[in-house]
Amino acid sequence: MVKYQDETLDRTFAALSDPTRRALLARLGEQDSLSVSELAAPFPISLPAIMKHLDVLTDAGLIVREKTGRTVACRLTAQPMEQAMNWLNRYARFWSDNLDRLAAFVEEETWPTQPSTPISAPPSAQRNAQASRSRAGSARGRKRSTRPGRKPSS
């Protein structure tokens, strides 16, 4: 059995858990390298917030930052994602096998055909069900309103 470095996987999945970080990775996947300001441009959050997200991605080993003069460029690294994919593929094989068995079972069984017209309850039962729902909804679920500064009466 293959041994996985738990800390690396934990950091990778923790980094991927945030939608902003996933979007940053997607942008880096479209281009080879982007400066931090280019990377941050489409996001409605501050540059310091983007920098914190980039710190998490760097700590997880998903990106590498390189400084050239005053510009910091970011690019993707593949190794942590490769380890995560290997881990996920173990479970994909498991689910694939189970779904294949389910499909075979469904195809083997003969199932009764459904009637073409739905069977409905008698009209009197429908009226009773509607009446009980409206009474239950009117007594419960109502919130009493009070004026500001006053306590609700008991």
Side-chain angles (χ1 to χ4, degrees), residues 1-151:
M1 179 169 194
V2 179
K3 296 277 183 182
Y4 294 98
Q5 295 177 348
D6 290 337
E7 287 182 25
T8 303
L9 278 176
D10 290 347
R11 282 195 309 263
T12 300
F13 286 121
L16 294 173
S17 69
D18 185 80
T20 302
R21 290 192 286 266
R22 289 193 304 268
L24 288 167
L25 290 174
R27 288 204 35 145
L28 284 171
E30 294 169 358
Q31 297 187 9
D32 186 38
S33 178
L34 287 170
S35 71
V36 172
S37 57
E38 291 171 333
L39 197 53
F43 294 97
I45 57 177
S46 67
L47 190 58
I50 291 290
M51 294 299 291
K52 287 182 181 182
H53 284 296
L54 292 176
D55 287 340
V56 172
L57 292 171
T58 302
D59 291 343
L62 294 168
I63 66 168
V64 172
R65 291 190 260 190
E66 299 168 340
K67 188 171 183 176
T68 307
R70 295 173 56 187
T71 305
V72 178
C74 300
R75 64 180 170 79
L76 285 175
T77 56
Q79 186 179 5
M81 288 293 271
E82 188 176 320
Q83 290 174 344
M85 287 303 299
N86 289 339
W87 187 84
L88 287 170
N89 283 334
R90 276 191 337 191
Y91 295 99
R93 284 192 298 271
F94 167 76
W95 283 111
S96 178
D97 291 345
N98 284 343
L99 290 174
D100 289 344
R101 279 186 264 153
L102 177 63
F105 173 75
V106 169
E107 290 170 0
E108 287 175 6
E109 290 295 317
T110 56
W111 301 97
T113 58
Q114 296 292 328
S116 59
T117 57
I119 301 170
S120 61
S124 61
Q126 290 176 351
R127 279 193 301 271
N128 291 342
Q130 287 175 342
S132 66
R133 274 194 301 252
S134 65
R135 282 192 302 269
S138 63
R140 291 179 294 173
R142 242 189 277 156
K143 187 176 183 181
R144 294 183 185 173
S145 61
T146 58
R147 291 190 302 209
R150 297 192 87 187
K151 292 184 179 179

